[in-house]
Amino acid sequence: MTQRSLTHAEAVSRAATVRQLSYGLEVDLTTGEETFRSVTTVRFDAIPGATTFLEARPERLLSATLNGVPLPESAFADGRLALDGLAASNTVEVTAEYAYTRTSEGMHRFVDPADGLVYTYAQPSITDAPRFMACFDQPDLKAPVTLSVTADPSWLVRANGEGTQTAPGRWEFAVTKPVATYLITLVAGPYVQVDDHHDGIDMAIVARASYAEILHRDAPEIFMLTKAFLDRYHELFGVRYPFGKYDQAFVPEFSWGAMEFPGLVVFRDELLFRAAVTDTERLERAAIIAHEMAHMWFGDLVTMRWWDDLWLNESFATYMGYRLVAEVTPWPQSWTRFGVGRKSWGYAADQRPSTHPIAPTEVVDTDAAFANFDGISYAKGCSALRQLVAWIGDEAFLSGLRAYFDKHAWGNATLADLLDALSQASGRDLQAWARDWLRTPQVNTLRPEITWAADGSYESVAVVQTAPSAYPVLRPHRIGLGWFDEQGQWQRTEIEVSGEVTPVPLLSGVRGKGLLLNDGDLTFAKIRVDDRTRPELASLLAAQPDSLTRALLWNSAWDATRDAEWPALEFVRLAAEVLPGEPDVTLAESVFALARLAVNTYLPGALREQGRAALAAAARTLLETADAGSSRQLVGARSLTALAGPGERELLRGWLGGIGVPEGLAVDSELRWSVLNRLSVLGDVSEAEIDAELARDTSARGEQEAVRARASRPDPQAKAWAFDLVVTEQGRSNRICIAAGQGLWQPEHAELTEPYVARFFAELPASTGRSGDMLGHLASAAYPGYAVSPVTLAAAEQALAGTMHPLVRRALADATDDLARALRARG
C-alpha cells in the first residue's frame, strides 16, 4: 500500500481541524506469519461540516466507520481515509490487516535463526505508524493512547504505558500521556527481561532469548548508566522524568541506532555486545543511552510542531548525550570521540550539495523531513549548541531550558519558543545568532595568519574567516586559542571572532609553536594550521597531553585532505607514524578508520598499496605493543585485519586456527568474521569455509556476516548474487541486503565489479517493492565508492538527472559528492 507524502500545508490545515484527540488501539498478533490485525478507534472534536483524512497503509481494509456509518470504498485511496461531513464530536473505527515487514518499518517480524523463536516490534519511524494503525500522522497532533494486545500466551509484551496480562496472551496497557504518533510502540515476543528500580522509577531491560547470557552480563553497566543519567537530567532540567516506568528494549534488525519511545526506548541489539569491544564502543553505547533519555524531555515532553524543528529533538539530544557521558561516566573523553567521530560526519554533510540549515525555514513534506536525519541535524546542531553555551553561559542556557519545559510541557513548540526562553534567561537577543547559525547552511573556515619576528616569536596573529561563495555568511565564533610556550607547556585563551579578519594582539611577542584555533572545540568551523605547524604535526601530536586537542589537530589534517589541499598520502603517513603511540583508544580507533578511507578511495594504484602497507605496519606495531586484553590491542587487531594484504594471510589464517594469537586477544565470533571477510576479499576463502563458520555461529549476526563474506569473494557468481540481493531481491531483511552491498564493492575487485557500476545507477533507483527509506539505505551502503573514476562519476550524474524517490536521490547525490572529492584527491 503506497502513501502520499504528507505536506506541511496539509498538516497545518489538519491541525486546525482536529481537537481533543485520543486513540484506542487493539492489536492482534496471532492471525498468521504474514499479517496481523488491528482495530483503531479515533475520537476527536472538529468544526461541524469540516473535512479531513486519516492515514493507514493496510494490506486489507476490513471496515471503516465514521460516527457509526460505514465509509464507502471510494473514501480510501493512496493510504488516506477521507472523512467528510464531520460532527462536533467524532468517532472513527478502522479494522484492517497489516503486513509484517523485514525492514524495520511498521511492525517488524523476525525469526531468530539461533532458536527459531519469533519477535515483533513496532517502529513508526516518522511516517510508518500507518503501517499498524489508522492515525493523524503528524507531530503536533499529540494524543493519549489506550493499547491492548493479543499475542502468543508465552510472549512478553511491552509498550509505552504500564502493562498487565489480564488473561493468557491478552495484555492491557495504561493510557499514555499525550504523545505524537511517531512515538507509539510495542515490543512482543519471548523476550527475556531484567528488572531494577531507582528513585521511584521502575526500570527493565529486555532482549531476545538467545541474548539472555549477554543481557545478564551487560545489564549492570546499562542500569548504572541509566541511573546516573536520570539523576543528572533531574538536576539539570528541574523536571523529573515524566513517563512513569523506563524500559529499554534491545531488538533485532532495528534500522536506526535507537528510538526514544516514551516509557520504552528501543535499541538495535548490536548494542548488547556479544564479543569483545573497545572502550570507544562502550562510550558510544553510553552516549546513545543518554541521547535517547534526553529525548524524554526534548521531543517527548515537548514536541516539535513540524519537522522543520527536528533540531529541537536531535541536536539537543546529541549535545546532552555527549555532555552527560563526559560528566558522569568512566569515559570523560566523550567530547574527544565526538570531535573526531560524529563531528566529521557533520562537516561532511554540511559541505555536500544536499546541505541545509540546522533549522530550515521550510520542510515541505515528510519525504524532505526524512532526508534531514543527517550529520547536520545531529552533529552540526550539537556543535552549534556548544557555541551557544560558550556565548551565553551554562547557567543561562539551563535556566532557559527549564522555562521552556515548564511552558510547553505536553504540547508542541518551535524555534521561536526556545529562542524566547533562552533570550529571557540570558538577557541577550538571540535572533541574529539564530539567523547566522541556525537558518544558514554550510561551514566557515578559520585560518591563522601569522607574521613571524626575527627571534621566532609571533609578530602579529590574526584569524581569517572565509565562507563558500554560494553561502557567504561569516558567523560570530567564540573560540579557544592554544599553543606550546617556550617551556613546552600548552597555553590557552579564548577570543571572539567575527567578520573576515580578527586580529589577536595578545599573541604579539609570544614565542610559541603549534598554534591551534578552536582549542576546546567550542565552535563548528573547518580549521587550518599554519605552514610551520604542518610539518611538525607528528611531534606536536606526540607532545600534546590533551586528547581533545589532538582530536582537533587530526580533524584539521583530515579536512584538508578531504578538501584536496593536502595529499592523501601525507595524512596516511602521519597516521602510520603517530597512531602506534596514541594513548587514547577513541582517537586511535577513529583515525585508523579515516586513514583506511583515505587509502581505499583517495590513493590510486601503487600509492594505495604503499599507504595500505604503511598503515598495516602501524596497526601491527600497535597490536604488539598494547597491553594484553586492552582496547588498544583490539583496535590494533581489527585495524590490521581490515588492512591485511597477501603478506598477512598466514597471520590471519593462524588466528582462525588458534596459532600465533597475541596474549589477551580474544579471537571471538566478531573477530573471526572480520578475519574471514578480509580473507574473502583476498580470494582465500571458499564457500564451504563460509558454511562451516556459519555452522559455528548460527545467530542472525552470523547470517549477515556470511552474506558479506560471500559477496566479498573475487568470484563472478558471488558478485552477481550480491548485486541481485541489493537491487532486485524481495522479502529479505534490511540487514541481509545491506551486508550484500557492503561486500559487493572492494577496491581490490575493481575490474571484476566494473560491469555492475552502470547497472547500479540504472537499476537501483528503478527498483520496486521497497520503501524509499530502505532504498536510500541501500543506495548508501551499496554505492560503488571504490570505483573512483570519471566513468563512475558520469554514470552517477546521468542517473541523478532522472526521476527517483527523493530519499534515493539524496543518498546517491551525497555519495556522488564524496566520489567527486575522491577524484580531486587523486589529482
Side-chain angles (χ1 to χ4, degrees), residues 1-3 36 55-58 98-99 101 103-108 121-135 137-138 181-184 255-256 261 307 366-367 370 771-774 777 807:
M1 169 62 68
T2 60
Q3 178 173 315
F36 63 98
E55 287 119 314
R57 275 183 284 170
Y98 297 82
T101 75
T103 57
S104 192
E105 298 168 299
M107 191 71 71
H108 185 89
Y121 58 84
Q123 162 60 318
S125 184
I126 69 170
T127 61
D128 286 329
R131 286 178 180 258
F132 58 81
M133 66 184 293
C135 59
D137 197 20
Q138 62 189 71
T181 46
Y182 78 91
L183 296 171
I184 299 170
S255 58
W256 297 2
F261 304 116
W307 299 105
T366 50
D367 282 344
F370 244 127
S771 71
D773 184 39
M774 181 61 192
H777 283 300
L807 294 180

Side-chain angles (χ1 to χ4, degrees), residues 217-271:
R217 185 202 64 207
D218 281 12
E221 180 173 299
I222 294 171
F223 278 132
M224 178 270 290
L225 294 169
T226 302
K227 295 171 185 179
F229 294 150
L230 279 169
D231 289 345
R232 186 61 172 149
Y233 281 134
H234 289 162
E235 179 184 357
L236 293 176
F237 295 159
V239 179
R240 282 185 58 79
Y241 168 70
F243 294 102
K245 68 181 177 67
Y246 197 81
D247 294 342
Q248 296 173 95
F250 291 79
V251 303
E253 299 182 334
F254 200 62
S255 58
W256 297 2
M259 183 63 195
E260 67 269 19
F261 304 116
L264 178 60
V265 179
V266 172
F267 301 83
R268 58 169 54 206
D269 62 11
E270 286 89 344
L271 291 170

Side-chain angles (χ1 to χ4, degrees), residues 623-630 633-634 637 655 658-667:
L623 173 64
E624 292 169 350
T625 57
D627 292 340
S630 68
Q633 182 190 52
L634 185 54
W655 288 2
I659 300 169
V661 178
E663 181 184 355
L665 180 66
V667 185

Side-chain angles (χ1 to χ4, degrees), residues 643-654:
L643 291 158
E648 286 82 28
R649 284 181 181 176
E650 185 176 347
L651 175 71
L652 296 188
R653 276 275 164 215

Side-chain angles (χ1 to χ4, degrees), residues 192-234:
V192 177
Q193 178 170 312
V194 179
D195 297 301
D196 207 334
H197 185 87
H198 178 70
D199 192 21
I201 301 169
D202 291 330
M203 298 185 295
I205 306 172
V206 303
R208 50 187 153 124
S210 61
Y211 271 58
E213 182 179 347
I214 302 168
L215 171 64
H216 284 90
R217 185 202 64 207
D218 281 12
E221 180 173 299
I222 294 171
F223 278 132
M224 178 270 290
L225 294 169
T226 302
K227 295 171 185 179
F229 294 150
L230 279 169
D231 289 345
R232 186 61 172 149
Y233 281 134
H234 289 162

Side-chain angles (χ1 to χ4, degrees), residues 67 97 169 217 225 344 463 559 582 590 654 687 693 764 787 820:
N67 298 326
E97 289 181 354
R217 185 202 64 207
L225 294 169
S344 295
V463 178
D559 196 74
E582 171 54 57
S590 301
E687 286 280 348
E693 193 65 31
L764 184 72

Side-chain angles (χ1 to χ4, degrees), residues 715-727:
D715 176 81
Q717 289 183 329
K719 298 304 182 184
W721 171 79
F723 187 81
D724 251 6
L725 270 178
V726 170
V727 174

